[in-house]
Structures are given as structure tokens and as C-alpha cells.
Amino acid sequence: MSALDNRLFAKMNGIGNEIVVVDLRDQPAPVTPADARAVAAHVPYDQLMLLQPARLPGTEAFVRIYNNDGSESGACGNGMRCVARQMFAGTDKSGLTFETRAGLLNCWRGPADGLYTVDMGEPKFGWQDIPLAEEFRDTRGIELQIGPIDAPILHTPSVVSMGNPHAVFWVDDIEAYDLGRFGPLLENHPVFPERANITLAHIVDRQHITMRTWERGAGLTKACGSAACATAVSAARLKRTERTVEMTLPGGRLTIAWRDSDNHVLMTGGAEFEFEGRFDPALFAVARASTTA
Ligand SMILES: N[C@@H](CCC[C@H](N)C(=O)O)C(=O)O
């Protein structure tokens, strides 16, 4: 038996970030990395959002987040907007709180129909919090490069944790690099002991950034919400943008606001429902057989 046998799922997307949401609150059971990979083989997704019973008063659920390689993440901005959309449906509540491995997240209905806002919490800039393998005092730009030593291809990324590790490389043209090739090298670079999400970002002006991301555990995706937050706060920290910016990602747009009053990062964008289905137990039987063999 798998916790996911016959369970109802919703296939959704957050500006093109492929998300599967499964509500396990009424029948909690452990989902394994092999289960998560088995789902991805049949319903391709970037992140699987599992709603487990709430552990804290005032929260709706504990949300576990899997990447499609079976690894877990503390944060997924686009996935949280999809969860928020599902949970707001049929309620007249204006705000909901969820627990994730990275802490509590508040979500609201956005300023217009179809938009949702997630409070992604505070960014962390300390090298041990990201984490990095060695001390870097200034994480606005760390000594890291790929390519020839005297003519690096990509270098000096800003690094930050948004509940998950991010490195942002500042470039003039985000399409001019083979991110599918450099992404895995940088994701797995020894300086990132927990791997990292790798973003190429271009600052268009003080209110607008374009970006694309190679995601830890998921590869190239059309959008990464936590990377958009990481990029926005990194640009503001370098004093190159305002604290509220429009982000253009391959899959669409997000508004990121890094609030002065409490240091929290608010992300606003769309979330779309695509279809519903039930998992076939045969998927997980195959996964279990291959992990026990
Ligand atoms: N797509 C996500 C980020 C998902 C987690 C990431 N791949 C990681 O392992 O850190 C987002 O929208 O934030």
C-alpha cells in the first residue's frame, strides 16, 4: 500500500510551474521519495504539494513539498499559490495560514480575481543559513565562477535562503547562456552542501527584472516563485532596484514586495487549475518493487 493509492489529486500550475496538489489531511500516511518519483513518471510535475494534517493551532495543514527527483524542499512559492487557490475555493475566508518545513506561511486572495499573495517570510543572508560550505562575509556577491579563470562565463552570484537555497547570477541577457548545461553543475557545486536553485537575472530597470531558473531537484522550469523572491531581495540589497518589483519569468509575471516594516517578502501571482484525477495503485507497486529489489 502507498499513502497515495487511489488518492484524488489536482494538477495545477503557478505561471507555468507544474504543480500537483494532494490533500491527505483526512487519511495521513507517509509518502516516500520513491512515491514522489512514481507520480512524476505518470503526471509530470515540477513540485508535489502534500497537505498533511495541521500540527499547529490556527493553521490549515502541514505542507510537504517534493521535487520531481524525490528530494524535499522547505519552500515553493508557486505551489503555495496553487494550494491557496484550492483551499480558498468554497470559503469566504480572506487569509489562510500553512505550516511548511521552513515555517509558517500566510496566504491571501490577491488584488484581482485569480491572483493570490503568499507571505514567503524573511530572507536569510548568513552563509550558514543558506547554507554555504564555507564562510562568506558578504553574500551579495560570492566568489564563485564557471568557465576559464581569466574569462569566467558566469560569476559572483548573490546568494540567499528563502526557506530554500538560491544563487542569482546577474547577466545582460538571460537567454545567452546554456542554463540546461550550467544549471546542474552549479546546483551541485561543493559550495552548496544542500544543492541550490540557480537563476539568471537581468535588471531591466528599478522596477522590473527578467529571470529564468534551473531548479534544484526539478531542472529547468517555466517559473520558480522562491527564486523570484530571492532575485528581488538580492537586487534590492545591491541597491539596483526598489523593494517592490515586477518579475518576468518564462511562464508569466509575479509581483514581489520586500516589506520594510517586518522584512517579509510578499509574492503575488496567478494559480491555474488544470484537471483532477486519482492515482492508480499500480504506479506505486512498481516503485516499491524497484526500491526493495
Ligand atoms: N518552484 C518552486 C521552488 C521549488 C523547490 C526548489 N526546487 C528547491 O528544491 O528548493 C517555487 O515556486 O518556489
Side-chain angles (χ1 to χ4, degrees):
M1 280 284 288
S2 158
L4 296 178
D5 283 354
N6 293 313
R7 299 307 302 239
L8 197 62
F9 66 85
K11 173 65 184 60
M12 306 185 71
N13 76 79
I15 60 163
N17 192 181
E18 308 291 350
I19 304 292
V20 170
V21 179
V22 189
D23 189 350
L24 295 169
R25 285 175 302 163
D26 62 347
Q27 222 182 311
V31 174
T32 65
D35 289 335
R37 286 191 293 269
V39 171
H42 290 82
V43 188
Y45 70 80
D46 301 321
Q47 275 80 41
L48 173 64
M49 311 293 288
L50 299 173
L51 275 58
Q52 305 277 9
R55 309 189 302 185
L56 298 172
T59 61
E60 304 295 323
F62 175 73
V63 183
R64 277 181 77 185
I65 304 163
Y66 275 108
N67 291 307
N68 61 25
D69 73 350
S71 61
E72 272 196 74
S73 178
C76 176
N78 292 323
M80 284 311 301
R81 292 199 316 282
C82 292
V83 168
R85 179 183 166 135
Q86 291 296 88
M87 299 288 282
F88 276 124
T91 77
D92 55 5
K93 290 188 183 174
S94 56
L96 298 172
T97 304
F98 299 94
E99 187 192 0
T100 67
R101 264 183 26 186
L104 296 185
L105 293 182
N106 293 318
C107 304
W108 301 275
R109 292 176 200 276
D113 239 17
L115 294 183
Y116 299 87
T117 298
V118 180
D119 179 343
M120 297 286 286
E122 296 188 61
K124 293 196 183 113
F125 302 118
W127 69 274
Q128 283 143 316
D129 295 322
I130 294 169
L132 303 177
E134 59 188 278
E135 180 174 357
F136 284 93
R137 294 226 174 125
D138 187 353
T139 51
R140 287 174 300 182
I142 66 164
E143 229 176 86
L144 169 65
Q145 64 176 53
I146 53 166
I149 206 143
D150 50 349
I153 297 167
L154 290 168
H155 65 93
T156 326
S158 300
V159 287
V160 53
S161 170
M162 284 304 315
N164 54 350
H166 289 273
V168 182
F169 290 85
W170 305 105
V171 297
D172 287 337
D173 178 359
I174 61 170
E175 301 300 338
Y177 302 84
D178 187 353
L179 190 54
R181 184 168 145 236
F182 299 129
L185 298 177
L186 290 161
E187 174 193 358
N188 294 292
H189 191 283
V191 78
F192 302 119
E194 295 179 11
R195 303 191 283 159
N197 297 286
I198 307 299
T199 291
L200 299 179
H202 169 64
I203 296 173
V204 179
D205 60 39
R206 292 192 63 80
Q207 282 95 22
H208 185 202
I209 300 175
T210 58
M211 56 174 281
R212 63 194 186 103
T213 301
W214 171 271
E215 283 196 37
R216 174 178 74 161
L220 284 176
T221 62
K222 287 198 185 133
C224 178
S226 52
C229 298
T231 303
V233 299
S234 298
R237 240 185 132 200
L238 289 166
K239 311 260 182 260
R240 295 183 62 191
T241 57
E242 306 302 330
R243 288 175 74 106
T244 297
V245 279
E246 288 298 308
M247 311 294 297
T248 302
L249 295 81
R253 281 171 87 102
L254 294 172
T255 304
I256 308 295
W258 184 14
R259 214 160 43 186
D260 240 333
S261 56
D262 61 0
N263 197 34
H264 281 222
V265 183
L266 306 187
M267 175 201 56
T268 300
E272 284 176 11
F273 174 86
E274 295 175 11
F275 60 88
E276 251 180 14
R278 273 187 198 280
F279 293 124
D280 179 347
L283 304 182
F284 308 107
V286 172
R288 271 193 311 278
S290 60
T291 47
T292 51

